[in-house]
Structure formats: C-alpha cells, structure tokens
Amino acid sequence: MAEPDPEPIPSGAGQRLGAPETLGISTLDPGHRPPAMPPGRHVTIRVRMLDDTEELFDVSQKASGKVLFDLVCSHMNLIEGDYFGLEFQNHQKMIVWLDHIKALVKQLRRPKHTILRFAVKFFPPDHTQLLEEQTRYLFALQIKQDISFGRLTCNDTSAALMVSHIVQSEIGDFEESQCRSHLLNNNYIPEQMPLIDKIMEFHSKHNGQSPAESDYQLLEVARRLEMYGVRLHPAKDREGTKLSLAVAHTGVLVFQGHTRINAFNWSKVRKLSFKRKRFLIKLRPDLNSSYQDTLEFLMASRDCCKVFWKICVEYHAFFRLFEEPKPKPKPVLFTRGSSFRFSGRTQKQVIDYVRESEFKKIPFERKHSRVQHNSRLSPLPSPRHHQVPTESAAPRVDSPPVRHWQESALVSAEDPSLRTVRVSPSHQTNGHDDRTASVRAEEAQGPARQNHPEHLNTVGPYSPRLSAACARPHAMVNGQKSLELCSHSPDGQQPSPLTSPLLNDACSVRTDDEDEVRRKRFPTDRAYFIAKELLTTERTYVKDLEVVTVSFQNAVGQDEATPESLKSAVFSTFEPLHRFHTGFLREVEQRLALWEGRSNAHIKGDYQRIGDVMLKNFQSLKPLTTSLHKQSEVLLELEKACRSSRRLEGLCRDFELQKVCYIPLNVFILRPLHRLLHYKQILERLCKHYQATHVDFRDCRAALAEVSEVVEQLQGSLVKMENFQKLLELKKDLIGIDNLLVPGREFIRLGCLSKLSGKGLQQRMFFLFNDVILYTSRGMTPTNQFKVHGQLPLHGMTIRESEEEWGVPHAFTLVGQQQSVVVAASSLTEMERWMDDIRVAVETATTSNGPSSDILSCSLTNNKDPSPVSGSKAPPQGLPSGQGPVPLSVICWYRVQSLSFSESCRSIENQLSGNLLRKFKNSNGWQKLWVVFTNFSLFFYKSHQDDYPLASLPLLGYSVTMPSESENIHKDYVFKLHFKSHVYYFRSESEYTFERWMEVIRSATVPTRSVRVPNNKDSNPH
C-alpha cells in the first residue's frame, strides 16, 4: 500500500491552475499572517469549492467566521477573496452567508454535517474591475453554475455564445466531431440539444482563444444580462402579488418572474429595515417621483426579511463605502436594533490593495480544463495527487490541530481513482452541477419545501448527475473515507435539481397558506375592500381630471384659435374640482394605509373606517356644486367653438388621437357628474354592509345624504347631457347627414343588421333615434366613419316578423309610409331587442306632438355655420389610423353587436379600477396590471401612476365566466373573458373585488332585454 508523503501538500484552485503556492492572504491586511487559532475544541469543516472539489479545514469552534474564510482563501492562494463568501444552510433551512464576526459555534449547529459552499458574493458591474486572472476564472465557474441551474436566464443566442466560450476553455480549438461529441455527453444549459448547432457555430469562431480569454469573453457576455448576479428572494407587494426582491451594486431590484419591473438606487434609499415579515424601503423625498416615502414588501417570515436585509447592508457597504464601517459602541444598558455590520474590505480597498501589492506580478497560468475529450480527466493532476492515501495514514488524524489549520487538511477529490464516470461537466473538476448536490439538498428540506413535496423527486434537464446517482464519489482525508460528494437528503430522497429557495417560486410560502397570509396582512372586512374601491377609482378619476386640466389645456387651451370663453369655462369648472379631489385622494390614501396596519393605529381600531373622511369632504363639496352645474356649459361651449373654427376642430381631433385621451373628450368633460353616482353607490354598499351600531354607520349615512342631495340637484340635466354627448359622438361617426343635433332628438340604439336587397343580405349599421332610423355602411376612410344610405321616419311605421316570408333567419320588416326595409339580426335575442326598441320608439313618436324644444339643441341650431360633418363635405383625410379611442359603433360593426342608450348609461354607472393579475390562454405566469373599466372596454396600465394605457380590450361580444376544472386554473377569485379564440384569465385579490369585476364586466357583455326610450321628463336615466 502506498505511503503518504510526510507532509500534506495543499492543493487548491490556485495550484491546480498553475499559481504559486502561498500568495494570497485574502481579507487580511498586507504583510500579516492568519491570527493564532483560538483555544477550544476543534471541528472539521467541509467546504465545497466552485470546481466541485471538497476541502476540509480543522478549526476551533470558538474561531470567528473570518478565520475560516481566510483559511479558505489562503489555501486557494486567492488575493481578491473579498468578492466571495461561504454560504450554508442554517438550522432554519435557509441559505445564509457565513458571518465573519460571529463565532462558528454560534452559526453552525452541526458543523460535521454542514457543507459550506464557496461562492461569489458580490458581483461587480464590470469584470475588468477584477484584476487577477484567477478571480476571473472563479467568476467564470460561478457563471457556469448560474446558467446551468437557470438562474442566469437569457435568450438562446446569448446562451449558445456563453456555452461556446465554456467549451473553448475546456477542450480548446474547434474540431467538429470532438465538439459535437463533447456537447452530446455534457449538459451546460437547460434544453441544450436544440442549440448544439448554434453552439458549434460560435465555437468555430474562437480558434486560437486561450482559456483565460474565454473566461474574459464569458464574463463580458454575462455581465450584460439582466439576471447577472441576481439572487431572487420571494416577496409580495401590498396587493398580494408575487414578486421577488434582489440586491445589486446599484441598489435594490424588484422582479416579477425574471423581468425587472423596478429599481431603487442606493442614492434614493434613505433607510432599509424590516418589521416582522415586512421589508421596508424608505426613500428620500423627491418631488418628481410618484412613489410613496416608504415601500413595503411581505416576505415569508421575519428570518427571510433579516437575511435579505443583511445582504443589502453588505452590498451597500462593499460597493458604496470607501472603507470598512467601524463597529458601533456597545450600549451600557440595552441594545436597540441589530448590531450586524459589514466586515471586510470594500471594493475600493480591494482594488487599491491589489494594485499596490507585488502579488499581481507573479504569473498565473490558466490551462484548458480538458486536454482531450475524456470526462474522467481532472485538469493537470499532480503526481502526488495520484498517490491515494490509505488506512496507514489514519494516525495522522491525531496530528496537532494547529497544523491541520495551517496546512488546510484537504480532500483528495482530484484523484481520478476516487471519481466515477460522469456524463456532464457538472461532474468535472471545472463543472458546476454538483455544487447543489449537497448544499441544495439540505436546502430542499426547508419549511417552504414541505408545502411542495413533489419537488423533492424532480429530475429535470438541469441535473444530469442524478442519472448516475448511485455512483457517488467518496472524498478521503488522510486515508479516512468520510464524504459523499453527491449527498442525499436526510429522508433518503434525491435532492431537488431546482435552485435555491431564495431563487425559485416553488420554495416560497405559497398556495396552501396564501389565504392565511393575505388574511394576516390585510383586513378581510368587506368594508375595507369597499373603501379600497373608493381609493382605486379615485386615482383614476384624478387622472381623468388631469387630462382636461393639464393635457387639454397644454394642447388646445394655449392656441390662439381657442376662444377666451372656452378657456374660462374649462378653467373655472375643472381647476377647483381637481384641487378638491387631489386633496380628497390624499386623505383616502392615508386612511387606507392606517387601515391596512402600516402604523400602530390599527391596534385600537380607530382608523378602520372611511365614512368620517367622506362626510368631511362631501360637506366641502357643496360649494363646488356650481362648478358641477357648468359641465353642460363646457360641453356646449366646446361644440360651438369647434363649429365656428376649423382650426380648433382640428386641434381637438388631434388631441383625441393622443395616447392620454383614451376615451372621447366629451366623456372626460362629463366625468364629474359620473363620479357623483359612484360615490353614492359606494356609500350605499357601506350602509348596507354596516349594522346600525357600527361606529362608521352614522358617518356613512350622513355622507350618503350629502352626496344624494347633490345628485338630486344635478340629475335633471344628467340625462340630457348624456344624450347630447352621445349625439355629438355619433355626429363624428356619420357621413351624409347635415345636422344630427336637431331639437328633441334622442338616441336609442345602434348596431349591425343585415339588409335584404337585390344583391342579397348586406351588412349595414343601423342607428335608432326617437324619430328616425338611419342605415349606413362602413366607408373606406381612415376616420372609421359610416356613410348614410337612407333614413326611415318612425311616425306611422309598423314592424312585423318576416322569417317565413323571406326564408331568412331572424328577419323582420320595417314598413314606413314611403319605404319598407327587410332586415335580419344575427340571433333571436338581437332580433327581439331591436323589435322591442323600435315598437316603443314608434309608439312614442306617434303619440307625441313632435320633438320638444331643447335649449341645448336650439342654441346649436341657431348657429348658421354649417356642420363640419355634412353630405357635401368630404371627411378629413390623412389622419393616423389605429390611434385614439375606437368608436363604439366601429366595435359593434366588427363584432356584429348592438348597443342601447340604457346600456351606455349602465356602463358609465359601473366604472371600476384596480390591480388585476392577467394570464393568457397558453402562458404560464400571471402579470400584474392596473386595469380601468370604462366605456365598454378594459384599459391596461403598468401602474396607476401611468398617464396612458399600454393596451385596451373592448368587451362588446365577450362572455365572462369562471374557468372550468379542465382549464387547470387552481387559483381563487379568477374570472375568464372569452370571445371566439381569444381567452383571458384575470385574478382579483378578494371575494368582494371578484364580485365587483364580474358585475361591471357583465354590464358590458350581457345586454339588457328590455330597453325603454329616454325622454325629457325622466330625471334619472338609470
């Protein structure tokens, strides 16, 4: 049996790669050796390196974490060791970094059974800041592990390019058969097979590139990726949406899935803290920012918050400070807060030290990892490594502990005789997958994993090592067989190939306890969600007011073509309302923040109500009733000004094409009247929910009386204004009618019907008013207008079904005094709606003495200037298509739907805003969006601060249902929107919000059966 050498020889990454033996001293000051070993019982610590070898270090239990870390760096001859750290799984099953200040005995509960993993801790933005080639090599190993386990996500081109550099560093210059065989036998990235040809194509361009150059190019590609150096920590925002937090050299990052949605730079962060499960980011005051002063995220536990907080503290100190922060003086009586601080050199100190020292001048030779295609080869094994220690060396275990510590008793995992045949680079010396075979196996036993037992047996494309799991190599220390490099979980199951619980969704506290987490975090009282609806809709309403007070004023109000009377009407009406509702919104936001428990006030229950805020503000709203009465004057003044000035008409038309004007301008002008109805509905729901003894009931009832009084004063003009606005909207849609705004004309219904003619059935757009029916066709114009073909007066008209007469399904005949028209509806329901509305309109037209005079219409008809939309005028040409709000008539044309005035009023009454999670039919994840429902459409924003929507979804023709079991949507409060092949899923946060969204969307997707004709005597259209 071979005898071991008298002296153990350290064999770290530095020596394996050609570096001299004892150069680096890591975080120690220049010229100093490691400190003396503290007294006490010694333990053997296992450390897994980035190349998957394992080393043993004999240290005192009383030694600090810094002593062990300096031993590791000294053993590897690593100078820039401050970028790295040792991470392990603590007794709470969480992956944490070894604290340099605390004693090992306080951190490692079972040191003999714990594997510490040497890994990159701080990722600099530019790899050129790494001055040593050995450091760049270790960073390259870290990148290999990250792309293998899916932490460093990227597109296929970037993935193939990075793998090509890895292959070049391992097998050298391109040779087709060798490269292909190597890629077939080694898996570097998930789903590698489809990319083999692209990898080989890139590899062929790297001829002559040394391993060191390959490492440099690999880091160059990796540093440009969004997920470079990112370690995700699961969290949720205030709305309960799943997010992830991460920290980088720039500051704190927020991710949704693998997409970064926000970043908070260190310069903007005033304080980072945590309180129980809540992680808090306090920002510096910024007048130009719409964020709140303090942002709050909910994590799985207090310990998760503390772990992430520590990482943030260390990242901030390492990249932002010039020197190591000094320790705080110990308090005399008691401590307050955490005493944790960053220990070690900052990045600036590391760079200055390496530049000023002579260590960097000593050559370091980076060789190919594999000189030939043989997965059993280890890089450059020295002859002494092939001398396998035997049992005769067992007495060496009793050698002095200081000697073990100084010479870092190593694991001879390099010897090929100790390793089995591998099928992937993860089993090579420079591989990466075995990194998680031990440390991550222990992680998988955390409490988060217990909620997902199915993940414990998962074998994915990330882990080819599991295919040969039975061949577990053993490491030996002085002849003692001690370690299994491919360790098992304590329960005997294979470790999960998935990433750390900090990096993936499967290991976060989820599904089973989601409702409990939401219940503990937010109030569950229905009154809270009613108040939250007030908040979300108020945010949208204030934004709508800004469209008139800011955007419209800037685009139109400053032009000389705008008359002073219009400017005065808009300014005097909307500016006071905007100021009032901005203050009201601020108070509601503050009250909801207190209600949600972001202060100690919720303990007393003093702020779990909203009636007092509404009562106080609605009492202040009374003086603004005059401004609310002026809405009709503003609408009238705008129409008169546009009729008298072509330039102003063009300015208004161009303004409606802007993204900020997502609905017709006239609808924005009537928003204050609509908002009063919303307040009344919200207060009615609160009064219905509360018992008479509730502390908030009296205030809500008093506020309801206040707003009802204002609504009663304005409801007389509300119907006329709605009808007038609808006529103005239709006037823009029609070509071939001189003036639609005749006195007393009222809109009833519009929609698609098929008109029977000599050419057969032809699609036509019909517009029903209280005195006439217009039928039109869609003109080939860029303005989405309809050309009028004819009109049928209702006076004396009769209507009958004629399906059997003409053999056309759902057909009926309109018999007028001068003309008869045969039309067919798309369905029986549509036919019944049209016939009911026409019969009622005919009866009204027959019994009435003609249209009654109306001050609005009369004042318009007295103007002798012809309407800009007339039969003799061609429509304006050259307008951009696909911009601005799409007219409802156009939507009805394409989806073969009809729409009544009563349904329009109901849609206005049922406006809603808030956060929803959206999922497409074939997508996996949920996307959080700010959604606004109005004007029969859903408008999607990234957040409520956005000025214009990202997209819109007209709902006419859609059906709203709940997903079936076969659709595998195993979430609460999900509803489904479906139209032909288009399917969307939406998730809300609570039962109340789910019911509200279903209610308002059904108001747009489920038409009413019976519709009455509005008339001037009606006081309320709803």
Side-chain angles (χ1 to χ4, degrees):
M1 300 178 66
E3 294 287 333
D5 293 333
E7 299 291 333
I9 296 179
S11 176
Q15 188 180 27
R16 286 195 301 273
L17 300 172
E21 235 177 73
T22 55
L23 292 182
I25 54 178
S26 182
T27 59
L28 300 179
D29 293 334
H32 289 263
R33 297 301 298 169
M37 175 64 63
R41 188 168 65 90
H42 284 236
V43 294
T44 300
I45 305 295
R46 291 186 295 173
V47 177
R48 173 161 292 173
M49 302 301 181
L50 282 167
D51 57 3
D52 292 322
T53 60
E54 288 191 358
E55 312 286 346
L56 294 186
F57 298 89
D58 199 4
V59 295
S60 169
Q61 280 188 331
K62 296 183 179 180
S64 65
K66 183 176 175 61
V67 171
L68 175 60
F69 182 72
D70 288 336
L71 272 177
V72 175
C73 293
S74 180
H75 167 71
M76 295 171 57
N77 303 310
L78 181 61
I79 298 174
E80 295 175 294
D82 301 82
Y83 289 100
F84 303 84
L86 296 172
E87 66 176 2
F88 65 99
Q89 187 180 42
N90 63 11
H91 66 281
Q92 294 170 325
K93 309 299 182 182
M94 299 175 60
I95 300 301
V96 297
W97 293 102
L98 186 71
D99 194 327
H100 286 189
I101 299 178
K102 285 186 178 181
L104 293 175
V105 69
K106 293 184 178 181
Q107 302 185 66
L108 306 179
R109 176 168 292 186
R110 304 174 65 192
K112 292 183 180 180
H113 302 279
T114 303
I115 299 179
L116 284 79
R117 188 172 60 83
F118 182 83
V120 176
K121 188 175 184 180
F122 302 108
F123 289 81
D126 190 354
H127 60 91
T128 58
Q129 296 174 348
L130 305 175
L131 304 182
E132 292 291 312
E133 184 179 328
Q134 183 189 11
T135 310
R136 289 194 291 272
Y137 164 66
L138 294 175
F139 266 73
L141 292 181
Q142 183 70 71
I143 297 301
K144 289 169 60 179
Q145 292 183 357
D146 288 350
I147 63 175
S148 173
F149 288 96
R151 286 190 291 266
L152 185 57
T153 57
C154 59
N155 57 40
D156 291 345
T157 301
S158 299
L161 181 58
M162 287 192 291
V163 173
S164 68
H165 287 301
I166 296 173
V167 173
Q168 173 71 18
S169 69
E170 292 183 348
I171 66 174
D173 289 344
F174 176 78
E175 199 282 316
E176 184 173 358
S177 60
Q178 180 189 16
C179 180
R180 184 176 296 276
S181 176
H182 182 78
L183 290 172
L184 291 174
N185 287 285
N186 299 283
N187 197 37
Y188 294 94
I189 55 176
E191 305 297 330
Q192 178 176 290
M193 290 300 294
L195 299 178
I196 285 183
D197 292 336
K198 184 177 289 189
I199 295 172
M200 294 177 62
E201 178 184 352
F202 283 128
H203 186 199
S204 65
K205 300 176 182 179
H206 302 332
N207 285 344
Q209 189 171 281
S210 67
E213 291 172 342
S214 297
D215 292 343
Y216 185 94
Q217 294 300 327
L218 173 64
L219 296 178
E220 177 67 24
V221 177
R223 77 179 183 91
R224 301 178 185 275
L225 302 176
E226 190 174 53
M227 296 298 293
Y228 168 70
V230 170
R231 299 295 182 262
L232 301 179
H233 298 250
K236 294 182 181 180
D237 64 4
R238 267 183 207 167
E239 309 298 336
T241 304
K242 284 177 51 178
L243 302 171
S244 296
L245 300 180
V247 62
H249 68 282
T250 56
V252 181
L253 311 178
V254 183
F255 285 80
Q256 192 169 40
H258 286 85
T259 302
R260 190 174 73 177
I261 61 175
N262 217 333
F264 302 100
N265 196 283
W266 292 126
S267 61
K268 297 181 180 180
V269 176
R270 181 179 177 186
K271 181 180 179 182
L272 295 175
S273 61
F274 63 95
K275 185 177 181 181
R276 298 184 181 89
K277 296 182 179 182
R278 292 178 292 159
F279 185 80
L280 306 174
I281 303 177
K282 191 168 186 178
L283 303 177
R284 299 184 185 277
D286 186 0
L287 298 178
N288 298 322
S289 175
S290 58
Y291 291 111
Q292 300 177 3
D293 293 338
T294 303
L295 301 174
E296 176 183 315
F297 299 90
L298 182 71
M299 306 191 82
S301 64
R302 179 186 180 276
D303 293 320
C304 292
C305 284
K306 188 172 184 178
V307 167
F308 183 64
W309 175 78
K310 285 184 175 181
I311 297 174
C312 291
V313 170
E314 292 181 313
Y315 253 82
H316 177 268
F318 184 78
F319 287 105
R320 297 278 290 182
L321 302 185
F322 291 108
E323 60 184 7
E324 178 183 354
K326 297 180 181 179
K328 297 179 181 179
K330 292 185 177 181
V332 179
L333 296 178
F334 58 89
T335 60
R336 179 178 176 85
S338 175
S339 61
F340 176 79
R341 65 178 178 88
F342 171 74
S343 174
R345 294 181 300 195
T346 66
Q347 186 188 33
K348 182 181 184 300
Q349 289 178 308
V350 174
I351 294 175
D352 293 342
Y353 168 67
V354 176
R355 284 174 176 170
E356 294 171 1
S357 67
E358 74 278 10
F359 296 123
K360 65 174 183 176
K361 301 175 183 178
I362 299 178
F364 176 87
E365 183 182 2
R366 167 81 165 87
K367 298 182 174 67
H368 287 295
S369 300
R370 299 168 179 80
V371 294
Q372 58 181 334
H373 180 62
N374 187 343
S375 60
R376 291 181 61 94
L377 287 179
S378 59
L380 306 177
S382 64
R384 310 185 88 152
H385 290 171
H386 289 283
Q387 298 175 6
V388 182
T390 62
E391 294 181 1
S392 61
R396 294 187 60 84
V397 176
D398 299 326
S399 57
V402 175
R403 186 174 186 83
H404 278 275
W405 169 70
Q406 289 178 341
E407 309 214 8
S408 63
L410 72 115
V411 178
S412 301
E414 286 288 308
D415 197 312
S417 63
L418 298 181
R419 290 186 177 266
T420 58
V421 178
R422 302 165 187 84
V423 295
S424 78
S426 64
H427 301 283
Q428 309 269 357
T429 302
N430 293 334
H432 42 276
D433 264 11
D434 270 352
R435 154 187 176 178
T436 59
S438 56
V439 177
R440 301 308 186 198
E442 298 174 6
E443 298 170 8
Q445 305 304 313
R449 282 287 186 189
Q450 295 172 7
N451 290 334
H452 300 272
E454 68 275 12
H455 291 290
L456 295 175
N457 293 323
T458 305
V459 179
Y462 302 64
S463 54
R465 67 180 182 279
L466 297 181
S467 60
C470 59
R472 296 187 297 276
H474 291 79
M476 302 187 71
V477 183
N478 298 332
Q480 300 294 317
K481 184 182 293 188
S482 58
L483 308 178
E484 288 186 345
L485 295 184
C486 187
S487 63
H488 278 67
S489 304
D491 57 358
Q493 291 178 308
Q494 288 287 356
S496 170
L498 300 179
T499 53
S500 162
L502 300 180
L503 306 179
N504 71 89
D505 177 65
C507 296
S508 62
V509 176
R510 187 66 190 113
T511 56
D512 295 338
D513 298 329
E514 183 179 8
D515 294 335
E516 182 67 15
V517 171
R518 184 187 290 113
R519 185 189 67 80
K520 290 181 179 179
R521 185 180 179 195
F522 288 125
T524 56
D525 185 16
R526 187 179 182 88
Y528 163 76
F529 293 106
I530 298 175
K532 192 168 185 180
E533 180 185 339
L534 171 67
L535 170 64
T536 56
T537 52
E538 190 71 15
R539 284 172 173 169
T540 300
Y541 174 53
V542 171
K543 281 290 184 182
D544 289 347
L545 290 177
E546 291 174 357
V547 173
V548 180
T549 58
V550 179
S551 304
F552 180 74
Q553 290 275 53
N554 294 337
V556 180
Q558 306 299 328
D559 195 272
E560 59 183 11
T562 306
E564 290 298 327
S565 59
L566 177 61
K567 294 180 183 179
S568 176
V570 173
F571 182 82
S572 62
T573 302
F574 282 89
E575 285 295 337
L577 291 173
H578 181 254
R579 286 195 300 269
F580 168 80
H581 287 283
T582 302
F584 179 47
L585 173 61
R586 189 182 305 112
E587 290 189 40
V588 174
E589 287 179 333
Q590 293 172 354
R591 176 55 55 88
L592 264 293
L594 296 173
W595 200 336
E596 290 169 358
R598 281 172 275 162
S599 74
N600 293 329
H602 71 284
I603 299 176
K604 302 177 183 178
D606 295 339
Y607 296 99
Q608 294 185 352
R609 54 182 179 174
I610 196 66
D612 56 334
V613 176
M614 300 184 75
L615 176 60
K616 183 187 75 170
N617 284 273
F618 290 164
Q619 288 173 343
S620 303
L621 184 63
K622 280 188 175 181
L624 297 177
T625 307
T626 305
S627 298
L628 295 172
H629 277 292
K630 291 182 180 179
Q631 304 302 312
S632 59
E633 296 180 13
V634 175
L635 199 60
L636 175 61
E637 195 67 38
L638 178 61
E639 175 62 18
K640 289 172 61 177
C642 289
R643 286 170 61 89
S644 59
S645 173
R646 294 283 182 171
R647 176 175 174 79
L648 181 60
E649 181 188 5
L651 289 174
C652 292
R653 188 190 310 118
D654 292 341
F655 176 72
E656 286 195 330
L657 296 178
Q658 295 183 14
K659 293 180 179 179
V660 70
C661 190
Y662 64 98
I663 54 179
L665 176 60
N666 292 334
V667 178
F668 282 113
I669 294 177
L670 295 183
R671 272 289 190 253
L673 300 178
H674 302 158
R675 188 58 180 158
L676 291 175
L677 298 176
H678 304 157
Y679 291 146
K680 186 178 179 182
Q681 291 178 356
I682 288 173
L683 285 167
E684 286 173 346
R685 282 194 287 271
L686 282 171
C687 291
K688 184 178 179 180
H689 168 69
Y690 286 139
Q691 295 182 356
T693 56
H694 195 278
V695 65
D696 203 26
F697 177 75
R698 294 181 62 184
D699 288 338
C700 288
R701 188 172 60 178
L704 177 60
E706 294 286 345
V707 74
S708 298
E709 180 181 349
V710 179
V711 170
E712 186 176 355
Q713 295 175 9
L714 297 171
Q715 64 184 4
S717 62
L718 188 56
V719 179
K720 290 185 286 187
M721 294 308 304
E722 288 292 343
N723 180 70
F724 181 57
Q725 183 272 328
K726 200 65 184 177
L727 292 177
L728 290 176
E729 183 180 342
L730 294 178
K731 190 189 76 169
K732 299 176 183 179
D733 297 343
L734 296 174
I735 303 174
I737 182 169
D738 291 334
N739 194 351
L740 194 64
L741 298 171
V742 298
R745 177 166 289 164
E746 296 171 356
F747 166 70
I748 299 177
R749 180 179 287 274
L750 64 84
C752 270
L753 293 172
S754 297
K755 179 176 175 290
L756 185 62
S757 65
K759 299 179 181 180
L761 290 174
Q762 294 179 320
Q763 183 177 353
R764 292 288 182 262
M765 193 72 178
F766 280 71
F767 297 85
L768 173 62
F769 302 93
N770 65 335
D771 61 332
V772 69
I773 298 178
L774 303 179
Y775 56 93
T776 67
S777 65
R778 178 107 194 286
M780 298 302 294
T781 68
T783 53
N784 294 322
Q785 291 175 301
F786 293 88
K787 182 179 180 180
V788 177
H789 285 274
Q791 51 184 308
L792 301 171
L794 294 184
H795 189 76
M797 177 182 287
T798 60
I799 182 173
R800 68 171 187 269
E801 293 187 24
S802 52
E803 181 174 343
E804 296 181 358
E805 179 181 354
W806 296 99
V808 178
H810 319 307
F812 57 96
T813 303
L814 304 175
V815 182
Q817 293 181 344
Q818 299 177 355
Q819 182 184 3
S820 297
V821 176
V822 179
V823 294
S826 59
S827 65
L828 177 61
T829 305
E830 278 291 302
M831 182 187 74
E832 292 174 349
R833 293 190 189 115
W834 274 105
M835 293 183 68
D836 291 344
D837 288 352
I838 294 174
R839 285 194 179 103
V840 175
V842 168
E843 293 176 3
T844 305
T846 303
T847 57
S848 65
N849 296 324
S852 60
S853 62
D854 186 280
I855 187 170
L856 274 179
S857 297
C858 287
S859 61
L860 291 174
T861 55
N862 290 335
N863 193 330
K864 295 182 180 180
D865 186 33
S867 170
V869 181
S870 63
S872 59
K873 303 286 184 180
Q877 299 293 325
L879 293 178
S881 60
Q883 299 184 23
V886 180
L888 291 174
S889 56
V890 176
I891 299 173
C892 290
W893 172 269
Y894 282 110
R895 295 187 178 170
V896 195
Q897 298 290 320
S898 67
L899 181 64
S900 70
F901 179 76
S902 176
E903 291 163 356
S904 297
C905 294
R906 189 170 58 151
S907 175
I908 292 171
E909 185 179 343
N910 284 302
Q911 294 176 16
L912 192 61
S913 307
N915 283 312
L916 289 176
L917 298 179
R918 182 186 66 181
K919 178 184 179 298
F920 296 107
K921 181 179 180 180
N922 297 320
S923 64
N924 294 324
W926 294 84
Q927 181 184 13
K928 181 181 178 182
L929 295 168
W930 177 263
V931 185
V932 175
F933 170 79
T934 185
N935 211 37
F936 294 93
S937 298
L938 293 178
F939 297 91
F940 303 103
Y941 301 76
K942 218 171 190 180
S943 71
H944 67 85
Q945 292 106 344
D946 292 353
D947 293 327
Y948 54 85
L950 302 172
S952 63
L953 178 64
L955 296 179
L956 290 175
Y958 270 81
S959 60
V960 56
T961 58
M962 295 178 62
S964 61
E965 289 292 333
S966 60
E967 294 173 274
N968 294 322
I969 306 294
H970 304 299
K971 305 291 183 183
D972 293 331
Y973 315 128
V974 178
F975 59 90
K976 169 186 172 183
L977 286 175
H978 178 262
F979 175 73
K980 294 184 178 178
S981 61
H982 303 284
V983 178
Y984 305 93
Y985 300 98
F986 294 91
R987 285 174 59 194
S988 56
E989 64 175 346
S990 68
E991 182 180 1
Y992 172 80
T993 53
F994 170 77
E995 293 172 354
R996 285 290 293 138
W997 280 107
M998 291 285 285
E999 178 184 352
V1000 299
I1001 292 177
R1002 278 176 176 157
S1003 72
T1005 59
V1006 182
T1008 54
R1009 285 298 308 272
S1010 59
V1011 179
R1012 63 181 179 85
V1013 181
N1015 56 64
N1016 296 330
K1017 297 180 181 179
D1018 291 337
S1019 60
N1020 194 333
H1022 309 302

